[in-house]
Amino acid sequence: MSYKVAVVGATGAVGREMLKTLAERQFPVGEVVALASGRSAGAEVSFGEDKVLKVQSLDKYDFHGTDLALFSPGASVSAIHAPRAAEAGCVVIDNTSQFRMEPDVPLVVPEVNPQALKGFRKRRIIANPNCSTIQMVVALKPLHDLARITRVVVSTYQSVSGAGKEAMDELFAQTRGVFVNDAAAPEQFTKPIAFNCIPHIDRFMDDGATKEEWKMAVETRKILDPDIKVFATAVRVPVFIGHGEAVHVEFERPVTVEQAREALREAPGLIVHDQREDGGYVTQIECAGEDAVYVSRLRQDPTVENGLAFWCVSDNLRKGAALNAVQIAEEMHRQGLLGHGAT
């Protein structure tokens, strides 16, 4: 069976990555449609090595007859058009934050909670989690199965691509400006991002946390276990692609580094590269363009009871967004949940 697939937000970084990932993984596409705002209508985007798609206007598109739509246009646009697509019989996989915490919308990472997809039928919308949450729960899942996790403290080191193309352009311009003595004022960020780290992603909330930090906590509980306590500090760093995370985990019972390493090595979507020597770890620049979540720096945390720490990195545009959405579609295909007449 092949499907008619629409990619919404096709001219953005994640939308282009969705098209690339669909082609690379040979998802059973019979027809693919690229959608974006009216001002992008008529632009061209690539699908696979030799196919070029003309972008159509999202506002004018009729979703009837479309089996699947991958959305990444921004939350306010998804709020309008994702329900419209679902009402037309299309299955929506939405990469924005719009529907993630709604109780009747599954929030899914296929390596972690594929069983949650069964709950898509009421709204016909599945939410793709936040990029920083995705890579963390992929690493936490095998550890939680090994010995129940009670608490997680995480510090993130998130690339500018998580804030979009304009943010990447700002990092490039500011970096160049430093060397030619022509400093550019920050526009996408609250402070200069070149040669700097900014402990502020998304808006501040009443308790002093940022929305990004809140997302990591509530999404982890929805995906993995409602009883896990999560405390996050999210930092934007001058890296173009790839998020890093320093994760500290507390368990109900003791877990050795050797037990954790074995569980992680056997888990899907993970690669353990943990050598206690110079360069024996994976960094953001090395994970760009890769599908896996990489785990390094595994070690015991002696400051808490039953504590373990590790470093993980992943390409936020792939596993943190486009790849996870396509993997959800693949899992729905396997479960017979796609296509007209699917039950």
Side-chain angles (χ1 to χ4, degrees):
M1 173 181 279
S2 62
Y3 306 103
K4 184 176 181 180
V5 180
V7 174
V8 180
T11 57
V14 173
R16 291 176 186 272
E17 196 69 31
M18 285 174 168
L19 288 165
K20 179 182 176 183
T21 305
L22 284 167
E24 286 179 349
R25 294 176 70 88
Q26 298 182 327
F27 185 78
V29 172
E31 180 183 353
V32 62
V33 180
L35 301 175
S37 65
R39 65 179 178 273
S40 295
E44 295 182 343
V45 292
S46 298
F47 177 65
E49 294 183 357
D50 54 6
K51 190 167 185 179
V52 175
L53 305 175
K54 286 276 190 183
V55 175
Q56 300 180 38
S57 170
L58 171 62
D59 290 334
K60 299 177 181 178
Y61 185 73
D62 183 356
F63 282 94
H64 286 90
T66 302
D67 299 297
L68 172 69
L70 305 181
F71 269 67
S72 190
S76 60
V77 177
S78 282
I80 297 169
H81 293 283
R84 183 171 74 83
E87 288 167 7
C90 183
V91 173
V92 173
I93 300 173
D94 182 54
N95 191 60
T96 77
S97 61
Q98 180 63 36
F99 303 101
R100 289 175 186 159
M101 296 313 299
E102 296 192 10
D104 53 357
V105 174
L107 184 66
V108 176
V109 178
E111 297 94 335
V112 179
N113 63 335
Q115 70 283 353
L117 288 171
K118 299 289 187 184
F120 90 99
R121 291 181 179 86
K122 185 173 182 180
R123 300 278 296 275
R124 298 189 70 82
I125 298 172
I126 302 99
N128 214 32
N130 186 41
C131 49
S132 51
T133 304
I134 288 173
Q135 72 182 66
M136 185 172 74
V137 297
V138 169
L140 292 179
K141 168 63 173 172
L143 299 177
H144 192 54
D145 290 344
L146 178 65
R148 184 175 170 273
I149 294 170
T150 58
R151 181 171 181 255
V152 175
V153 177
V154 56
S155 296
T156 73
Y157 305 84
Q158 295 178 226
S159 65
V160 296
S161 56
K165 181 183 181 299
E166 292 81 5
M168 298 174 74
D169 292 342
E170 184 160 308
L171 172 58
F172 179 82
Q174 287 183 358
T175 303
R176 182 179 57 186
V178 168
F179 290 104
V180 299
N181 198 28
D182 183 21
E187 296 180 4
Q188 301 301 314
F189 301 105
T190 56
K191 293 179 183 286
I193 186 61
F195 304 98
N196 200 18
C197 297
I198 304 174
H200 176 193
I201 300 177
D202 212 324
R203 63 179 175 83
F204 277 97
M205 304 180 73
D206 291 341
D207 64 354
T210 63
K211 187 75 176 292
E212 183 80 1
E213 293 157 355
W214 174 84
K215 289 175 191 174
M216 292 193 74
V218 296
E219 290 179 17
T220 298
R221 288 195 286 268
K222 182 173 179 178
I223 295 165
L224 193 58
D225 187 328
D227 294 327
I228 294 178
K229 296 177 182 178
V230 179
F231 186 84
T233 300
V235 183
R236 190 72 74 188
V237 297
V239 171
F240 284 102
I241 294 174
H243 289 353
E245 296 177 352
V247 187
H248 296 256
V249 184
E250 296 175 40
F251 299 90
E252 275 190 341
R253 62 176 179 81
V255 174
T256 67
V257 170
E258 291 72 23
Q259 289 172 326
R261 184 179 288 113
E262 183 177 354
L264 290 164
R265 280 179 173 159
E266 293 178 354
L270 283 169
I271 294 177
V272 177
H273 185 89
D274 181 33
Q275 299 169 359
R276 296 179 178 182
E277 59 186 38
D278 292 352
Y281 41 81
V282 180
T283 60
Q284 282 127 298
I285 199 168
E286 295 163 297
C287 77
E290 300 293 324
D291 290 348
V293 175
Y294 292 86
V295 174
S296 308
R297 300 293 319 279
L298 268 167
R299 60 202 192 278
Q300 218 77 49
D301 180 355
T303 67
V304 296
E305 190 174 2
N306 306 331
L308 192 76
F310 62 87
W311 166 256
C312 71
V313 296
S314 185
D315 183 328
N316 55 294
L317 297 180
R318 287 186 69 85
K319 184 53 185 170
L323 174 63
N324 197 76
V326 173
Q327 287 177 310
I328 290 172
E330 290 171 342
E331 183 62 31
M332 296 191 77
H333 172 65
R334 280 192 289 270
Q335 294 188 27
L337 300 175
L338 281 179
H340 294 282
T343 57

